[in-house]
Amino acid sequence: MATSTPTRPHPGPADDGDGRRGLAARVSLGKVFAPVPSEFYLIASTAILLTGFGLVMVLSATTATSTALGESPFDALLKQGVFAVIGIPLMFIASRFPIRFWKRVAWPLLILTVLFQLLVFTPLGIEVYGNRNWIGIAGYTVQPAEFLKLGLALWVGYVLYRKQTLLGLWRHVFIPLVPVAIAVVATVMAGRDLGTAMILVLIVLGGLFFSGVRLRIFIIPLLLGAAVVAYYAVASPNRLRRIMSFMDPNCDYFDDCYQPLHGVFGLAGGGVFGLGLGNSKEKYDWLPAAANDYIFAIVGEELGLIGAVLVLLLFTLFAVGAFHVIRKTDDRFVRIVSGGITVWIVGQALINIGVVLRVFPVLGVPLPFMSQGGTSLLSVLIASGVLLSFARSLPMRARG
């Protein structure tokens, strides 16, 4: 009697080592209405509220100057709105990607964002107030360094995650982290953008801090980062003069202190309840960068102390949601990247507000979600999507 030989199943794609098939990370869309932790709602809602608040303030801050130039008062709003309409869906799309995907794109994304940043040194590059960190594409001005922040945060998290058992040895902490980070920061400093370079340094330091490296090892990169920033601050006499002007009681009103003082005038003029939305006086070409780096001054002038506190409260709630992700996760990669992104967004907000209050010198960093600038808005929304992706991964026992 003949026996039939069992047929072998058709060989499938090779296993990638963690029980998943295929070399590419697959995006699991899951159930649209699947339950998500409270951290997800907190981060998403504050990001959307800050973005909407920012659109209103950009419109208010630009109507006067746009009308004076014979342009539509809604031009700035429409340009910013395009990036908001693109960025918010991208935030939720990014939230659907698994952690495995973010680990696999860390290196490629850093390389791509560095190459994108290097375009500022091509004929596409645009120089603004001595800084060459923008490029012109299809009528839009794009700042590649904003995407570099996200690429660096993911890369730092991946490198430190892969070396998690070796972080007690300083050489494994430094290589390749410090040389690559210095090279990345150098691409920005070559365009003389000290403010963005400082944020990149903060991202690296934030990643190191949340990776759990020993304090004695962490202090060395901290001092090295401070030394690099200090060197570039004093390397240019003009930059040093502008940075130190906030400490000079006799600072020239018509030169270095014109913008900082008008920022304070705007905040002081608003009082507790503000002059009313749209009633700012400083936006009538008195305050340079009213819709950009100094938009918080317009918030304080038009909406008063109440509006300013509301902005601070929204950023606080965003930070609470992000820190809950850091505290509750069991994945070191998630903890490190979440820490870097949180230090970037919340730290940049505090620096921007501190500049307006004259606690810090003028550094030229925008207020996340709110300042006019489509690239900045797009990058922080996508970064928020990464945080939302991590929030979805929280273990069930931590979701209570």
Side-chain angles (χ1 to χ4, degrees):
M1 180 177 179
T3 58
S4 59
T5 304
T7 58
R8 298 178 60 187
H10 188 275
D15 197 342
D16 66 359
D18 62 354
R20 313 281 183 169
R21 293 190 172 189
L23 295 176
R26 292 174 296 175
V27 181
S28 177
L29 295 179
K31 297 180 180 179
V32 174
F33 299 106
V36 291
S38 58
E39 290 80 11
F40 183 97
Y41 293 114
L42 191 57
I43 294 170
S45 59
T46 50
I48 293 173
L49 286 173
L50 283 166
T51 301
F53 199 169
L55 291 174
V56 172
M57 296 313 303
V58 166
L59 172 63
S60 178
T62 57
T63 50
T65 51
S66 297
T67 303
L69 294 172
E71 301 172 353
S72 168
F74 300 102
D75 276 354
L77 173 66
L78 292 175
K79 289 181 179 179
Q80 188 79 351
V82 167
F83 287 96
V85 169
I86 295 173
I88 291 176
L90 282 179
M91 178 178 72
F92 287 107
I93 291 173
S95 76
R96 291 287 181 175
F97 285 82
I99 297 174
R100 186 177 69 260
F101 171 82
W102 299 115
K103 292 176 181 178
R104 291 186 174 184
V105 301
W107 266 106
L109 187 60
L110 180 68
I111 294 171
L112 286 174
T113 51
V114 169
L115 293 176
F116 192 34
Q117 168 64 18
L118 293 177
L119 290 178
V120 302
F121 305 110
T122 69
L124 292 174
I126 298 174
E127 186 169 321
V128 180
Y129 298 118
N131 291 349
R132 191 178 180 87
N133 270 304
W134 291 266
I135 60 174
I137 300 177
Y140 284 89
T141 301
V142 179
Q143 188 172 10
E146 292 296 330
F147 296 115
L148 193 57
K149 296 173 183 176
L150 178 58
L152 184 62
L154 286 168
W155 179 83
V156 168
Y158 182 70
V159 168
L160 294 177
Y161 158 76
R162 290 294 301 270
K163 292 193 170 193
Q164 55 186 311
T165 59
L166 302 171
L167 294 182
L169 303 173
W170 70 267
R171 63 181 180 274
H172 286 289
V173 175
F174 273 63
I175 307 297
L177 181 69
V178 172
V180 174
I182 290 176
V184 170
V185 173
T187 64
V188 175
M189 281 310 307
R192 299 183 293 279
D193 189 349
L194 180 61
T196 301
M198 286 181 59
I199 301 301
L200 293 174
V201 171
L202 284 178
I203 291 172
V204 175
L205 293 176
L208 278 170
F209 178 81
F210 288 104
S211 70
V213 297
R214 296 177 181 176
L215 182 60
R216 60 182 176 84
I217 298 178
F218 175 75
I219 288 177
I220 299 176
L222 177 63
L223 295 176
L224 182 61
V228 170
V229 171
Y231 169 76
Y232 281 111
V234 302
S236 168
N238 181 54
R239 184 187 297 125
L240 179 63
R241 189 187 74 250
R242 287 187 289 106
I243 289 176
M244 298 307 296
S245 64
F246 84 109
M247 299 178 61
D248 184 2
N250 300 315
C251 182
D252 186 358
Y253 166 79
F254 294 102
D255 192 6
D256 296 326
C257 283
Y258 181 84
Q259 179 164 274
L261 288 177
H262 274 280
V264 174
F265 295 162
L267 286 173
V272 175
F273 300 102
L275 302 178
L277 187 62
N279 293 328
S280 167
K281 299 176 182 178
E282 293 295 332
K283 71 180 182 181
Y284 285 90
D285 219 15
W286 287 103
L287 177 62
N292 305 103
D293 299 345
Y294 275 80
I295 197 167
F296 187 74
I298 304 300
V299 172
E301 185 181 15
E302 295 190 347
L303 303 179
L305 179 63
I306 295 175
V309 170
L310 177 60
V311 172
L312 290 173
L313 178 61
L314 289 173
F315 276 109
T316 300
L317 292 175
F318 181 91
V320 168
F323 278 118
H324 275 201
V325 173
I326 296 170
R327 181 175 64 87
K328 294 180 179 181
T329 185
D330 295 325
D331 191 313
R332 189 180 291 251
F333 172 78
V334 171
R335 183 178 298 114
I336 298 171
V337 177
S338 298
I341 291 175
T342 305
V343 168
W344 156 24
I345 295 178
V346 178
Q348 184 171 311
L350 293 176
I351 291 173
N352 176 276
I353 293 170
V355 167
V356 176
L357 294 173
R358 295 206 73 193
V359 175
F360 303 130
V362 178
L363 295 171
V365 295
L367 184 61
F369 299 107
M370 295 189 65
S371 288
Q372 183 183 19
T375 316
S376 174
L377 177 60
L378 198 59
S379 66
V380 294
L381 285 173
I382 296 174
S384 299
V386 176
L387 289 177
L388 295 180
S389 170
F390 294 161
R392 288 183 185 275
S393 72
L394 294 180
M396 292 300 296
R397 62 180 173 79
R399 291 189 178 188

